[in-house]
Amino acid sequence: MRILSVLVVAGALFGCSALPGDGPAAINITSQDVEDSAKAGDYTVVVLEPTNIDFVKAYRPLAFANQFHGVGSGGSSTLLGVGDTLVVTIWEASPDGLFSSAGGGSSQIPSVVDENGYIFIPYAGRVRAAGLSIEGLRQSIQKKLIGKAVEPQVLVSLKDKLSTTAVVVGDVAKPGVYPLPLRNTRLLDLVAQAGGSREATYETVVTLKRGRRAGTTRLEDLIDYPENNVLVSPGDNILLSHRPRTYSAFGAVKANQLVPFKTKTVTMAEALATVGGLRDDRADANGVFLFRYEDAALVRKLKPVLDNKLSGQTTVPMVYKLSLRDPQGFFLAQNFEMRDKDILYVSNHPTAELGKFLQIIAPLISNYSSVQRLYE
């Protein structure tokens, strides 16, 4: 009677789902369930298959480039401005002219465009420079010297374009304010001028702030996807930050933990191996899930039926489902790369509750058997 009572109580616990668990079973998480409850395409589930994994591998993340498309001038102005430093060279036809010297018939005059936009040239006076091109300033100075110098010839050279600058700070070798040359300057150009990243490039992120708009991307994405290497505009602020990548593992794996990336790339197969793999006594090999935010453009390729629901969205919560019951799933896991802040979840097998039930009642049955032997 005692053992019967134990079984009844334990069975009641089992029937009421009172047994502890690490999350819902795979049988309760299906693509259809998620899509039915997602009103306006807030999230979706995609089963990893050979037909769609190529889309994921070939996708080019260009959200960073699109963030700054058409925003800002994208380069330094060709017109002079306040703070620009110049060198004005003046030649004369006569060796005893105003600007002739013992070394030759020319003089070099360093100049800085003042706060009012002017430079000072001897015998020509204050000359307007701000808002003019280098050629325009040259002609203006030469015109003012006619009748004062002997057949003057003028050359204006730009030394530093300090009227258009960008700031580079953070985990770089030489943070500071950098002038933008007349040629177009791209983001990597300025990072290189600042000495590059102090940490590994795959652990460094770049944040570009332009006015009220800001975007962040991995430093390596500027090289892997050249479209992200956008033009720098005057007034841009660039921050390099050391941000090691991590992923989280939950559910029926041998170690639930936060795992740092130890190499540049980590596949899903390597991620599962790092946490000890699936638990033989609980895991559902058909229920391996990966949670991440994915670009809406990629989601449209994976699920064209959601195109209308994703209007206006840039990122979408995505759940990838992988089955390791099929040997092909191991090849898919080997080709699927993890990203920063991914969440791996391995669901419990439906029969795992029975295993927990047996573990709970095993000590009770053992104690009852021991007591019964004492009375025999």
Side-chain angles (χ1 to χ4, degrees):
M1 290 298 295
R2 290 183 181 179
I3 190 170
L4 180 61
S5 300
V6 169
L7 290 173
V8 170
V9 173
L13 291 174
F14 181 73
C16 295
S17 300
L19 300 179
D22 292 298
I27 197 172
N28 296 326
I29 302 178
T30 66
S31 178
Q32 190 63 44
D33 291 337
V34 175
E35 291 176 10
D36 288 344
S37 61
K39 307 217 168 162
D42 291 335
Y43 50 88
T44 187
V45 171
V46 169
V47 178
L48 281 179
E49 299 171 340
T51 56
N52 58 27
I53 195 169
D54 288 337
F55 283 112
V56 181
K57 291 177 61 179
Y59 180 68
R60 301 172 66 84
L62 302 178
F64 179 79
N66 296 334
Q67 184 77 5
F68 299 99
H69 181 70
V71 180
S73 60
S76 181
S77 172
T78 58
L79 303 180
L80 298 172
V82 174
D84 288 345
T85 60
L86 309 167
V87 176
V88 180
T89 305
I90 304 174
W91 287 269
E92 288 188 85
S94 173
D96 56 354
L98 295 173
F99 298 96
S100 299
S101 63
S106 66
S107 294
Q108 287 190 341
I109 305 171
S111 302
V112 178
V113 182
D114 65 21
E115 65 276 10
N116 296 316
Y118 288 84
I119 63 172
F120 178 78
I121 301 296
Y123 303 102
R126 285 166 58 79
V127 182
R128 180 74 183 180
L132 296 178
S133 65
I134 291 177
E135 175 60 20
L137 177 60
R138 186 197 70 78
Q139 293 180 9
S140 179
I141 295 172
Q142 187 166 295
K143 183 178 180 180
K144 288 197 172 190
L145 290 175
I146 293 176
K148 299 176 182 178
V150 181
E151 298 181 13
Q153 296 291 312
V154 178
L155 174 66
V156 178
S157 301
L158 178 63
K159 187 177 180 182
D160 288 312
K161 192 92 170 60
L162 297 180
S163 62
T164 53
T165 60
V167 176
V168 184
V169 294
D171 292 319
V172 291
K174 297 181 294 183
V177 180
Y178 288 86
L180 300 180
L182 293 180
R183 66 176 177 82
N184 287 335
T185 302
R186 295 194 175 271
L187 195 51
L188 270 178
D189 298 335
L190 215 55
V191 171
Q193 288 185 47
S197 169
R198 288 200 298 241
E199 304 292 342
T201 55
Y202 62 84
E203 290 190 343
T204 301
V205 297
V206 180
T207 300
L208 174 61
K209 183 73 185 302
R210 180 175 298 169
R212 296 184 178 179
R213 187 163 300 204
T216 299
T217 187
R218 288 277 161 186
L219 182 58
E220 287 206 337
D221 283 349
L222 303 183
I223 301 173
D224 295 339
Y225 311 105
E227 297 90 337
N228 286 326
N229 191 21
V230 298
L231 291 171
V232 178
S233 293
D236 280 356
N237 294 311
I238 300 163
L239 171 67
L240 268 68
S241 306
H242 180 223
R243 194 178 299 174
R245 297 169 300 166
T246 59
Y247 69 90
S248 303
F250 299 100
V253 292
K254 293 184 179 178
N256 285 216
Q257 60 184 2
L258 181 69
V259 185
F261 282 54
K262 295 183 180 179
T263 57
K264 178 181 175 180
T265 59
V266 175
T267 66
M268 185 187 291
E270 293 169 337
L272 287 170
T274 302
V275 294
L278 280 61
R279 290 189 54 168
D280 294 336
D281 58 337
R282 288 171 43 195
D284 182 359
N286 193 44
V288 179
F289 297 92
L290 186 137
F291 297 77
R292 71 162 55 142
Y293 281 91
E294 203 69 90
D295 287 352
L298 175 58
V299 178
R300 289 186 179 96
K301 290 184 177 181
L302 295 172
K303 287 246 177 164
V305 294
L306 298 178
D307 190 19
N308 294 332
K309 294 182 179 181
L310 300 179
S311 177
Q313 297 188 45
T314 56
T315 58
V316 179
M318 172 74 80
V319 181
Y320 291 102
K321 180 181 179 181
L322 177 69
S323 173
L324 294 180
R325 287 182 180 172
D326 184 350
Q328 191 176 53
F330 289 89
F331 291 103
L332 296 177
Q334 194 175 28
N335 288 316
F336 191 92
E337 290 190 5
M338 301 288 292
R339 295 185 195 162
D340 187 30
K341 302 299 180 289
D342 277 352
I343 297 176
L344 263 179
Y345 175 77
V346 179
S347 62
N348 290 335
H349 193 276
T351 60
E353 297 301 323
L354 176 61
K356 294 180 183 178
F357 167 72
L358 295 176
Q359 290 177 8
I360 290 175
I361 67 172
L364 301 177
I365 296 175
S366 176
N367 291 338
Y368 174 78
S369 299
S370 300
V371 171
Q372 190 176 38
R373 282 195 297 268
L374 289 176
Y375 283 99
E376 287 179 351

